[in-house]
Amino acid sequence: MNKHLITGILVVIVTAAATSCQPRPEEGQNVSAEPKGTVASQALKPAESGYADVNGLKMYYEVYGQGKPIVLLHGSYMTIPLNWSQIIPLLAKDRKVIVAEMQGHGRTRDIAREISYEGMADDVSGLLKHLKTDSADILGYSMGGGIAFQLAVRHPEQVRRLVVLSGTYKHDGWWPDVEAMYPSINADMFKGTPIQKQYDSLGNDPAHFPEFVKKVISIDLKPYDWSKEVKNIKAPIFMAIGDADGVRYEHALELFRAKGGGKMGDIHGLPKSRLAILPGTTHIGMMMRTEWLIPMVTDFLDSDLSTAPPTF
């Protein structure tokens, strides 16, 4: 693929990523030029927010609602409001929603430590301990899906059920042309986007932004393969991708088969894990499918996951 075309596509992707996850205003409602620091563009306010001292980080977090806890893990370059503004109000109706910003993202300042899926998973584990939460459901999107996989591998006792949206457990889980794009990502692509604007508005040093962009993408520039460990995760897994996602169908199917899928449920019974391929859905579009995703996610989290075949 032409390098300039790749660059153009990436600009569209990073801009769409930041804007598609924002709440849509009512007709006639004034729209602020900048995204808010919390889910403040809606009536919902966090019941708790602050910083947790974990592994040398001061990790920013917010808590919404009451009930069974669920932790939301954002994608690369995103923040709580950029990634979760549409999702938090829907889940917080009957759950305790814990959201945090990963190393170097949003209000969690970067430290002299490489960014890695394993390190961020350990940070989330530390946050749960800080919040005195023994275990929780975990939902990760894109980069957050990789963190979710690693959390379940490294800290299985803290994970009740696992939801991964458009995430991978192996570097070649992405389509080849997607993986080939990663080395081209640089700070210039983000100029003027909500991602850059929010990075600056949340108190980060604008001069550090190019280093931040380079540091975050570095986690996907080196090969990784957690297939063996992920397939041995004991927690039930719900993996969802789009039919026009960046994640290969075969990658998702490989995990689903390892978790008991790939058989006729009427004969063999249902697996405790689930798979969804959403029609007409891209990687960015995944976060816009709340009318499909939320019912599927909540049914998975609330179900007794009976394996018995259905009967008439």
Side-chain angles (χ1 to χ4, degrees):
M1 185 181 289
N2 180 277
K3 184 176 180 181
H4 295 293
L5 179 58
I6 290 175
T7 301
I9 292 171
L10 285 170
V11 172
V12 172
I13 288 175
V14 297
T15 302
T19 56
S20 66
C21 301
Q22 292 299 295
R24 296 174 178 82
E26 301 285 341
E27 184 176 353
Q29 179 181 346
N30 291 329
V31 180
S32 171
E34 298 290 343
K36 302 296 185 181
T38 65
V39 191
S41 55
Q42 304 182 52
L44 190 63
K45 303 287 185 180
E48 178 185 351
S49 64
Y51 293 84
D53 292 319
V54 293
N55 304 320
L57 284 179
K58 290 191 177 296
M59 189 178 203
Y60 181 76
Y61 69 90
E62 296 173 359
V63 180
Y64 294 83
Q66 295 180 337
K68 293 180 180 178
I70 182 170
V71 180
L72 308 183
L73 305 174
H74 62 72
S76 299
Y77 306 113
M78 304 296 276
T79 61
I80 292 170
L82 286 180
N83 209 146
W84 303 120
S85 289
Q86 293 189 57
I87 304 293
I88 291 172
L90 299 175
L91 290 177
K93 292 176 181 178
D94 54 7
R95 298 179 196 278
K96 181 179 183 180
V97 180
I98 301 168
V99 283
E101 291 170 343
M102 301 298 107
Q103 177 184 344
H105 291 74
R107 286 146 288 198
T108 300
R109 301 292 178 252
D110 198 10
I111 59 174
R113 182 190 78 174
E114 71 171 358
I115 292 180
S116 69
Y117 288 108
E118 295 85 351
M120 289 186 286
D122 290 347
D123 296 338
V124 176
S125 171
L127 174 63
L128 287 173
K129 292 173 183 175
H130 173 83
L131 295 173
K132 296 180 172 55
T133 301
D134 293 333
S135 68
D137 296 318
I138 309 295
L139 185 156
Y141 165 67
S142 194
M143 178 188 80
I147 300 169
F149 278 133
Q150 277 297 321
L151 183 65
V153 167
R154 298 168 72 84
H155 307 279
E157 74 284 353
Q158 293 181 298
V159 178
R160 177 180 170 269
R161 294 184 185 178
L162 191 64
V163 179
V164 175
L165 308 178
S166 300
T168 63
Y169 54 90
K170 188 178 180 181
H171 68 93
D172 65 1
W174 303 100
W175 292 109
D177 57 340
V178 175
E179 192 175 7
M181 286 182 182
Y182 290 146
S184 302
I185 293 179
N186 61 72
D188 289 341
M189 297 175 181
F190 294 86
K191 283 184 177 178
T193 67
I195 288 175
Q196 183 192 36
K197 290 177 181 178
Q198 184 149 106
Y199 180 87
D200 296 348
S201 70
L202 293 179
N204 296 288
D205 180 2
H208 183 71
F209 187 69
E211 181 182 346
F212 163 68
V213 172
K214 183 178 179 181
K215 194 170 182 179
V216 172
I217 198 57
S218 70
I219 63 175
D220 289 314
L221 297 183
K222 47 195 173 189
Y224 61 91
D225 184 357
W226 318 318
S227 299
K228 181 179 178 180
E229 296 88 344
V230 167
K231 290 174 183 177
N232 286 324
I233 289 172
K234 300 302 181 186
I237 301 172
F238 172 38
M239 188 168 180
I241 64 172
D243 61 356
D245 208 317
V247 180
R248 295 187 298 110
Y249 312 137
E250 296 84 357
H251 183 69
L253 287 168
E254 182 182 337
L255 177 58
F256 185 55
R257 289 192 182 101
K259 301 299 290 182
K263 302 173 184 177
M264 186 174 183
D266 295 299
I267 298 173
H268 301 283
L270 296 166
K272 289 184 177 294
S273 291
R274 297 180 180 180
L275 171 67
I277 301 179
L278 277 58
T281 302
T282 66
H283 189 71
I284 300 304
M286 176 65 67
M287 299 310 299
M288 303 171 69
R289 295 297 195 185
T290 54
E291 75 280 11
W292 292 349
L293 273 178
I294 298 303
M296 287 191 287
V297 168
T298 55
D299 183 75
F300 171 69
L301 297 180
D302 295 339
S303 171
D304 63 5
L305 298 182
S306 171
T307 60
T311 57
F312 289 108

